[in-house]
Amino acid sequence: MATSIAPKDVHTTLPYLARDAIYQKEKPYATDFILEDSDVALTNHVFDFMNLVVRDAQPQRDSFSLQKNGFCFLKAMTSLSNENVGDEHFLEKTYFDEIEVVLHDKFPEYTRIECLDYQVRKRSSLFPARPGAVVKTAQPAVLPHIDFSKQGGFLGMKLFFPGQEQHYFNRDFDLLNVWRVIKGPNNDWPLALCDYQSIDFGADVLPNDVLHKDHVGENEILHKASGHAWFYLSDQTVDDLIVFRNTDSKGVRPRGFHAAFDTNMDTGPRESIEHLTWAVSLESTGQTLILNDIPYYVPAAPFTTIPILKPLRSAASAGGLVPVTVLELSASNANLSGLEQAIDGFSEDDVWNEGFLEAILISSATEAKPIVPQNGSFTLPRANQSSIISVLQLENTSASIVSGPYFLSTSGSLYQPLRLYSDFAGAFTQPLFSLPNSTYAALPANIAGIQSPAVGVPSRLYYTKTVQQPLAGVRLGVKDIYDVAGVKTSAGNRALYGLFPPANANAVPVQRLVDAGAVIVGKMKTSQFANGEMATADWVDYHSPFNPRGDGYQDPSSSSSGPGAGEGSYPWLDLGLGSDTGGSIRGPSQMQGLYGNRPSHGLVELIGVMPLAPQLDTAGFLTRDPAIWVAAAKVLYADLPFYNRYPKKLYTVDFPTSADTDADAVLLAFLAKLEGFLSTSATALNLSALWTSTLPAGADPSLDESFNITYPILISKEQTMLVRDAFYAAYAAVHDGRRPFVDPVPLVESLYNYFGL
């Protein structure tokens, strides 16, 4: 039995799909017909019931959006009534047209909207006490699901447009469901919708075959998870439309998982109609704006939507957007002084600028309303312009709007912009930005510059470091041998990049950093296949990055060249993730004057990372900031003990003994400072002498002769087996047996293996 635990919030039970071992062997399925002369069950669904709270969305109905939550609520008068709901001609010729007009008005980005199918449901008095009973109309669906997976969406389109694949293939579209009651107000078995932001898609969602007599479809079902946030529209009337996304042509946008549920409120048996709508759009990739001479990228997907006041609507300018500053004020500083103090602190952020003071939105989650001028024009001290101030009361929202710079549209969509910086050092292979489904895509923005792509970075004001996320807001560049979900890996080779599909998941080291709050801003250059290359003759497929030290034309070293040059060049980049097999972090960090480390081998799994030699490969960092370095190391090397005191043993290798040159003097001065800091004296280490004094039996007394070309043989044999052979075979299969181009150094390295050296 359901019980009300707050006004219009409902405590109820939903039957999730169980995380049963059977689904490791067979796919979930359900049929809508009896399989005659067969012992095959109608379904293999195993349920896991969960008690939960479904929140009433009415107080905040305007805050939900397709782009953020996967569903929204609209108000619309239509001519549909209980009398004409069974008139198929009326539905197709009148009602569907009315709905299409409503959707076009709400979602102008859709260039074509077409109602494809509909379903009327009338709850029988036998439901749910006798769910197996035969009834004449469709009944409420209680299993949390969406009606189509991505694959199921295309299967459905084949049914609606047989033999007309050209109408929907290679087009960007959504399959929407428009759901409403036929009589109201209704609280009987209403529709509950799960906020897509609360779903872990990889862990909580499972595709399910839907078997019909004449075709097979596919939808998606939810597993139980305690974090799911459910909402419904209390007292839903005939003018209340629930619009949710079932799927989209790319399978990446937020979707509206839904289920009917028992409220234990007697408003009479529910009667509802839902119809499937095909909505085609010109895919927006966002837009680039300039504010106070600073370029910004505004993504296509908004951060959230808010009610918008008329003064803000009229203030919109470029692209229908107005720059605004959002401030979170607590009860203790919800006054003019607190507002001014907060804005003073924003000046340290490199993304925010005074242009965002065109309007100030005060985010207040407290009962005490801020004591500031509201909904009017006000000039702040030390500001060069007046600001429109509006107070947003957020008591019933599941997530507050964090402080920082935003762009606001006339429809109330609030966007978090990225500031665009020029990659003048040529450190990046591909600037990236995150998508709502936790994957990444190439940043579709650029600014003026010769061969200098734009890199977008978010405001640091959006992030607060916590114990769980010690790297919150840390801007991360990733060496292009690590997989990043949704993005191709090049390993410095153009043919490899064009041959293989995007990665399905982040590499393990990347995921650890992302889980700790790091923000990926792009993939960074590596010398080809992480081999050692000299600038610039060895770099053919891609130009070597520029080392900013000296005259700006020095070799950045390799193979973590991009992270090294980027960290050395850009104060807006916090951390570079590199790799070190034989010096690939240590070299670039020395050349650019950075902190860099090769850790002990095996501290983090290198799943999703292109190998050079697994016996030697390690993941490490390049950065200017030792505090970030330490925090990142604690995240990446989770099982490594960290010490609270400095070592006392200090060794030098091939250090000068006298200041014969200016460079020698610099090195000796640094060594003296380090000795003083550690309260110790350095010991010169002669590796050749140490080898001779500890010589293994039968070994060559010469260190150089003994090891000779061990390293190149090892990396060539390992990388040939693990990378090259599969790469060559895949390339030959689609290019008439030809071999791909490979830079000189990795090509020569492979000869060590070819000739058996």
Side-chain angles (χ1 to χ4, degrees):
M1 296 292 289
T3 57
S4 179
I5 59 172
K8 299 295 182 166
D9 289 352
V10 177
H11 189 95
T12 193
T13 302
L14 288 181
Y16 282 93
L17 187 72
R19 299 179 189 271
D20 195 276
I22 187 176
Y23 303 126
Q24 297 178 8
K25 298 180 294 183
E26 60 184 61
K27 186 177 179 181
Y29 74 88
T31 68
D32 63 357
F33 62 96
I34 297 175
L35 300 170
E36 298 179 359
D37 301 325
S38 173
D39 58 356
V40 177
L42 295 179
T43 181
N44 65 351
H45 291 173
V46 180
F47 299 113
D48 189 359
F49 292 86
M50 181 177 180
N51 296 325
L52 49 83
V53 176
V54 183
R55 304 291 181 187
D56 182 16
Q58 284 285 15
Q60 50 180 322
R61 59 180 293 160
D62 292 337
S63 68
F64 296 94
S65 69
L66 284 177
Q67 296 90 340
K68 181 182 68 171
N69 313 99
F71 60 89
C72 65
F73 306 103
L74 306 181
K75 277 283 188 183
M77 292 287 294
T78 67
S79 55
L80 181 70
S81 68
N82 199 34
E83 289 73 30
N84 56 28
V85 70
D87 185 342
E88 188 169 339
H89 183 269
F90 164 79
L91 291 176
E92 293 183 356
K93 299 300 182 182
T94 303
Y95 179 63
F96 285 1
D97 287 346
E98 293 174 346
I99 292 300
E100 290 172 12
V101 169
V102 171
L103 295 180
H104 271 300
D105 182 62
K106 175 62 178 179
F107 306 110
E109 63 270 24
Y110 293 132
T111 58
R112 177 180 176 184
I113 295 175
E114 184 173 344
C115 294
L116 303 177
D117 197 10
Y118 72 95
Q119 176 75 68
V120 175
R121 299 180 189 268
K122 295 184 179 182
R123 185 175 74 81
S124 167
S125 59
L126 301 176
F127 178 92
R130 293 175 57 193
V134 177
V135 294
K136 294 182 178 180
T137 58
Q139 297 300 293
V142 297
L143 180 64
H145 71 288
I146 54 173
D147 302 326
F148 297 94
S149 64
K150 175 187 174 183
Q151 178 180 347
F154 281 99
L155 291 174
M157 294 300 289
K158 286 185 178 181
L159 293 176
F160 297 119
F161 298 101
Q164 303 178 64
E165 285 81 2
Q166 70 275 12
H167 286 304
Y168 55 87
F169 262 96
N170 298 320
R171 299 187 75 173
D172 185 44
F173 66 82
D174 288 339
L175 287 179
L176 306 179
N177 192 312
V178 181
W179 194 99
R180 54 157 285 183
V181 295
I182 298 171
K183 60 181 183 179
N186 178 73
N187 288 313
D188 178 72
W189 289 88
L191 197 68
L193 299 116
C194 189
D195 186 347
Y196 191 77
Q197 297 175 114
S198 68
I199 296 173
D200 182 340
F201 192 83
D204 299 348
V205 178
L206 206 59
N208 172 74
D209 280 338
V210 183
L211 309 179
H212 306 277
K213 280 191 174 182
D214 57 348
H215 69 280
V216 177
E218 185 182 74
N219 64 7
E220 289 175 332
I221 305 177
L222 276 183
H223 285 312
K224 182 172 72 174
S226 59
H228 291 168
W230 288 91
F231 297 88
Y232 83 108
L233 203 61
S234 68
D235 302 314
Q236 185 176 0
T237 69
V238 295
D239 298 333
D240 289 317
L241 303 184
I242 300 175
V243 181
F244 58 87
R245 180 184 289 110
N246 272 305
T247 190
D248 65 275
S249 54
K250 296 184 177 180
V252 298
R253 300 188 185 108
R255 279 156 265 186
F257 284 85
H258 56 280
F261 72 103
D262 187 8
T263 63
N264 201 32
M265 299 182 196
D266 186 11
T267 55
R270 185 194 94 187
E271 297 184 14
S272 62
I273 183 171
E274 61 203 73
H275 52 272
L276 179 67
T277 303
W278 181 44
V280 184
S281 63
L282 295 175
E283 183 178 7
S284 172
T285 59
Q287 55 183 308
T288 302
L289 304 174
I290 295 178
L291 180 64
N292 285 356
D293 296 324
I294 297 175
Y296 293 92
Y297 168 70
V298 181
F303 174 75
T304 189
T305 56
I306 61 172
I308 184 168
L309 298 172
K310 185 175 180 180
L312 294 177
R313 196 184 305 273
S314 61
S317 52
L321 300 174
V322 57
V324 302
T325 293
V326 171
L327 285 174
E328 287 184 290
L329 296 181
S330 63
S332 60
N333 69 348
N335 50 48
L336 186 58
S337 176
L339 186 151
E340 294 173 357
Q341 184 177 2
I343 290 177
D344 284 345
F346 283 10
S347 60
E348 298 179 3
D349 183 63
D350 63 332
V351 178
W352 184 89
N353 72 67
E354 285 195 355
F356 287 99
L357 289 177
E358 189 163 334
I360 300 173
L361 306 181
I362 300 175
S363 173
S364 174
T366 64
E367 293 184 1
K369 292 185 177 180
I371 308 172
V372 295
Q374 296 182 28
N375 306 332
S377 183
F378 178 75
T379 302
L380 289 167
R382 300 181 300 281
N384 296 322
Q385 64 188 71
S386 62
S387 301
I388 300 170
I389 296 181
S390 179
V391 176
L392 303 174
Q393 292 294 333
L394 304 171
E395 295 129 47
N396 293 309
T397 57
S398 57
S400 62
I401 304 174
V402 295
S403 297
Y406 293 81
F407 285 98
L408 179 65
S409 75
T410 55
S411 63
S413 295
L414 198 62
Y415 299 88
Q416 289 185 338
L418 302 178
R419 177 173 178 172
L420 299 178
Y421 284 103
S422 172
D423 179 27
F424 57 80
F428 285 81
T429 54
Q430 200 167 23
L432 303 175
F433 75 111
S434 62
L435 299 175
N437 64 344
S438 300
T439 65
Y440 297 82
L443 182 70
N446 213 338
I447 54 178
I450 299 176
Q451 295 184 340
S452 299
V455 182
V457 300
S459 170
R460 303 185 195 276
L461 299 171
Y462 302 146
Y463 306 94
T464 301
K465 290 181 172 59
T466 63
V467 173
Q468 293 76 23
Q469 291 202 314
L471 301 180
V474 169
R475 299 164 182 172
L476 172 68
V478 178
K479 183 178 180 179
D480 199 6
I481 64 169
Y482 289 88
D483 282 350
V484 172
V487 181
K488 291 185 175 186
T489 298
S490 79
N493 183 276
R494 294 196 304 164
L496 185 83
Y497 180 86
L499 187 62
F500 296 111
N504 292 322
N506 292 329
V508 169
V510 174
Q511 190 60 50
R512 285 195 184 182
L513 299 173
V514 170
D515 289 342
V519 179
I520 297 175
V521 299
K523 279 199 160 190
M524 308 192 77
K525 287 182 180 176
T526 174
S527 52
Q528 197 166 93
F529 299 117
N531 282 257
E533 293 185 316
M534 296 287 290
T536 61
D538 294 339
W539 292 70
V540 179
D541 267 3
Y542 298 99
H543 195 286
S544 168
F546 291 87
N547 183 340
R549 307 307 177 197
D551 62 0
Y553 282 87
Q554 304 304 303
D555 192 320
S557 187
S558 59
S559 63
S560 302
S561 312
E567 275 295 305
S569 301
Y570 307 138
W572 45 264
L573 183 65
D574 300 321
L575 186 67
L577 176 62
S579 67
D580 193 305
T581 304
S584 291
I585 288 177
R586 289 163 289 169
S589 62
Q590 292 175 41
M591 292 294 190
Q592 265 83 201
L594 304 168
Y595 296 98
N597 68 288
R598 173 195 165 86
S600 299
H601 185 264
L603 288 183
V604 59
E605 288 184 296
L606 298 181
I607 298 173
V609 186
M610 185 219 68
L612 182 55
Q615 301 89 336
L616 300 175
D617 292 343
T618 62
F621 301 107
L622 302 93
T623 184
R624 301 176 309 279
D625 189 332
I628 292 178
W629 190 26
V630 171
K634 289 181 177 180
V635 167
L636 192 59
Y637 317 127
D639 299 325
L640 181 67
F642 281 79
Y643 302 95
N644 57 8
R645 59 183 179 180
Y646 294 102
K648 293 299 181 183
K649 291 184 178 180
L650 178 62
Y651 295 99
T652 60
V653 178
D654 296 332
F655 248 62
T657 56
S658 59
D660 296 333
T661 66
D662 290 342
D664 291 345
V666 170
L667 290 174
L668 291 173
F670 166 76
L671 181 60
K673 291 179 181 178
L674 185 58
E675 288 175 321
F677 178 77
L678 297 176
S679 299
T680 189
S681 297
T683 300
L685 186 63
N686 187 316
L687 293 177
S688 295
L690 182 61
W691 171 256
T692 302
S693 65
T694 58
L695 189 68
D700 193 302
S702 169
L703 179 62
D704 290 339
E705 290 297 326
S706 182
F707 284 91
N708 196 5
I709 56 174
T710 301
Y711 179 77
I713 290 176
L714 177 63
I715 64 173
S716 66
K717 286 184 175 294
E718 289 295 318
Q719 195 168 67
T720 294
M721 177 178 60
L722 298 173
V723 178
R724 191 203 69 174
D725 287 350
F727 171 40
Y728 277 19
Y731 189 89
V734 295
H735 291 92
D736 298 325
R738 295 194 301 274
R739 285 186 178 181
F741 177 83
V742 175
D743 279 1
V745 170
L747 188 63
V748 170
E749 293 283 5
S750 69
L751 296 179
Y752 282 97
N753 181 70
Y754 181 77
F755 290 112
L757 295 175

